[in-house]
């Protein structure tokens, strides 16, 4: 039976998901599968979901900006993780039942695992307090982080994450911070950059570089990791700076691939030969991103 999936967003033409999932379907020998990008403006979201409920071949959707936070009331069920993070990035359709998931968390965990970044009882610094930062704070807490400092130019938004998470993860202390925080005392194992600063088309100025520098000064001298969630470009200003300082680096591309593999596993079945699939997708997407430049 033909199975179909799609990414929905507005705009959605820039999405790598159609190429990524078509390539993955080939690797998984899933011949009867098609994947498309569908532009759905916010005002049409409810009507779109109602129409799609009549399509039996749909296995699910990926969800991107601006719908991730707006789907809750339109689904039959939302996972505890997606509810806590406040965002649904994957819809699973089984037996006409629509369930919302957050595979960004799983993508982040997968990236940490692939990089051997063991966070048990370690401190973590996160820059940003949007949806990606919330998923990152959740993922590092699941991985056993002892203390997580969330720094945002608007500290009040970071404090919302602290209040939302503090009773869920009893073994992790969450702290909100602004740019004046003394990161040097943190002795962290990992710094996560979860803002669009350095993304293709978004310039960084001296004050952005100063906050990167200040965060990177808040780590243990040895064996520290820097993780930028941006994947366009793969090597960002933040990661270049971290490399010069001797950090091990993790890129947003590994998170993107990790969340895609987790999505596939929700829709279909466990990925066979995971490391090989991960490497093939990395090479495929690197070429694709280079061609886009
Ligand atoms: P979002 O919800 O819009 O949040 C953006 C965050 O960045 C906010 O904390 C915002 O601060 C901060 N920010 C924006 N512009 C800034 C600037 N000029 N200076 C300082 N801070 C700034 O976005 P998001 O969904 O969390 O995404 C954040 C990044 O993660 C994006 O670059 C996205 O590409 C990446 N991402 C990657 C993946 C992946 O699979 N690799 C998945 C999801 C997201 P305020 O609160 O003060 O506005």
């Amino acid at each position: 039976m033909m199975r179909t999936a799609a990414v929905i967003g507005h705009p959605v033409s820039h999405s790598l998901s159609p190429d990524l999932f078509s390539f993955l379907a080939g690797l998984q020998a899933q011949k009867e599968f098609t994947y498309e990008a569908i532009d759905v403006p916010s005002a049409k979201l409810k009507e779109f979901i109602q129409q799609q409920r009549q399509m039996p071949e749909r296995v699910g959707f990926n969800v991107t900006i601006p719908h991730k936070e707006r789907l809750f009331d339109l689904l039959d069920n939302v996972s505890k993780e997606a509810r806590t993070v406040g965002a649904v990035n994957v819809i699973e359709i089984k037996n006409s039942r629509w369930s919302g998931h957050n595979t960004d968390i799983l993508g982040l965990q997968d990236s940490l695992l692939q990089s051997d970044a063991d966070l048990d009882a370690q401190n973590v610094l996160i820059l940003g307090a949007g949806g990606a930062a919330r998923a990152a704070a959740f993922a590092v807490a699941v991985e056993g982080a002892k203390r997580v400092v969330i720094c945002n130019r608007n500290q009040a938004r970071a404090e919302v994450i602290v209040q939302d998470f503090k009773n869920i993860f009893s073994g992790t202390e969450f702290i909100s911070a602004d740019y004046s925080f003394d990161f040097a005392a943190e002795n962290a194992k990992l710094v996560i950059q979860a803002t669009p600063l350095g993304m293709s088309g978004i310039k960084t100025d001296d004050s952005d570089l100063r906050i990167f520098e200040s965060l990177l000064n808040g780590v243990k001298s040895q064996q520290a990791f820097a993780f930028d969630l941006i994947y366009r470009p793969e090597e960002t200003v933040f990661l270049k700076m971290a490399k010069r300082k001797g950090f091990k680096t993790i890129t947003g591309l590994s998170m993107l691939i990790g969340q895609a593999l987790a999505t596939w596993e929700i829709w279909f079945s466990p990925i066979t030969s995971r490391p090989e699939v991960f490497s093939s997708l990395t090479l495929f997407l690197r070429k694709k991103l280079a061609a886009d430049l």
Side-chain angles (χ1 to χ4, degrees):
M1 179 190 174
M2 179 58 85
R3 312 313 307 266
T4 69
V7 53
I8 54 169
H10 182 71
V12 82
S13 56
H14 64 284
S15 174
L16 281 175
S17 293
D19 287 318
L20 195 168
F21 281 95
S22 301
F23 187 77
L24 180 55
L27 293 177
Q28 295 298 291
Q30 180 85 30
K31 291 202 181 75
E32 297 195 321
F33 175 75
T34 62
Y35 190 105
E36 61 189 319
I38 308 177
D39 195 304
V40 183
S42 292
K44 300 263 180 201
L45 184 63
K46 190 172 178 185
E47 189 187 325
F48 175 80
I49 301 282
Q50 278 162 356
Q51 279 168 2
Q52 293 290 316
R53 282 185 182 266
Q54 316 307 321
M55 296 184 64
E57 71 278 13
R58 286 272 189 233
V59 286
F61 293 91
N62 288 108
V63 183
T64 186
I65 290 166
H67 305 319
K68 284 184 178 191
E69 291 90 13
R70 300 179 184 172
L71 274 164
F72 290 80
D73 296 339
L74 302 174
L75 302 173
D76 304 314
N77 175 51
V78 174
S79 74
K80 194 169 143 238
E81 291 79 9
R83 212 168 269 291
T84 306
V85 167
V88 163
N89 76 320
V90 169
I91 299 172
E92 170 198 21
I93 307 168
K94 272 209 181 106
N95 304 323
S96 306
R97 207 174 150 72
W98 287 48
S99 303
H101 300 270
N102 188 306
T103 59
D104 281 341
I105 302 167
L106 299 170
L108 281 150
Q109 286 178 267
D110 204 1
S111 302
L112 294 169
L113 196 75
Q114 302 263 343
S115 310
D116 280 332
D118 182 2
L119 297 183
D120 193 31
Q122 302 290 336
N123 294 353
V124 176
L125 309 177
I126 298 176
L127 180 64
R134 287 182 75 94
F138 191 102
V140 298
V142 172
E143 291 302 310
K146 188 172 78 183
R147 181 174 152 99
V148 181
V149 179
I150 304 158
C151 170
N152 200 39
R153 60 180 177 184
N154 166 9
Q155 187 180 349
R157 203 170 169 197
E159 185 56 30
V160 172
I161 306 182
V162 173
Q163 295 307 321
D164 287 351
F165 284 19
K166 69 177 186 190
N167 295 325
I168 295 172
F169 297 101
S170 54
T172 307
E173 181 188 12
F174 294 94
I175 309 278
S176 70
D178 65 10
Y179 288 7
S180 65
F181 192 83
D182 179 16
F183 298 103
E186 282 302 310
N187 211 18
K189 171 92 177 260
L190 168 70
V191 184
I192 301 179
Q193 199 300 105
T195 76
L197 287 169
M199 204 162 102
S200 149
I202 298 183
K203 288 239 157 44
T204 43
D205 61 22
D206 286 350
S207 69
D208 303 327
L209 298 184
R210 272 197 298 279
I211 183 64
F212 289 169
E213 182 94 44
S214 153
L215 282 155
L216 292 171
N217 285 339
V219 298
K220 292 182 172 179
S221 54
Q222 296 290 317
Q223 305 296 316
F225 289 82
F227 188 172
D228 198 324
L229 306 193
I230 292 170
Y231 56 83
R232 224 186 223 129
E234 190 179 5
E235 189 167 68
T236 58
V237 176
F238 173 73
L239 290 187
K240 280 184 188 153
M241 187 189 271
K243 254 189 190 162
R244 283 198 298 273
K245 289 174 180 285
F247 281 69
K248 294 180 185 175
T249 57
I250 313 174
T251 77
L253 197 60
S254 69
M255 173 182 172
L256 181 75
I257 294 171
Q259 67 77 30
L261 298 187
T263 300
W264 186 271
E265 291 182 331
I266 287 171
W267 290 343
F268 296 109
S269 52
I271 301 272
T272 48
S273 318
R274 216 165 203 277
E276 288 80 4
V277 169
F278 209 100
S279 307
S280 300
L281 272 171
T282 304
L283 291 177
F284 171 74
L285 290 173
R286 271 192 190 138
K287 271 197 203 140
K288 184 89 203 125
L289 288 168
D292 282 356
L293 287 178

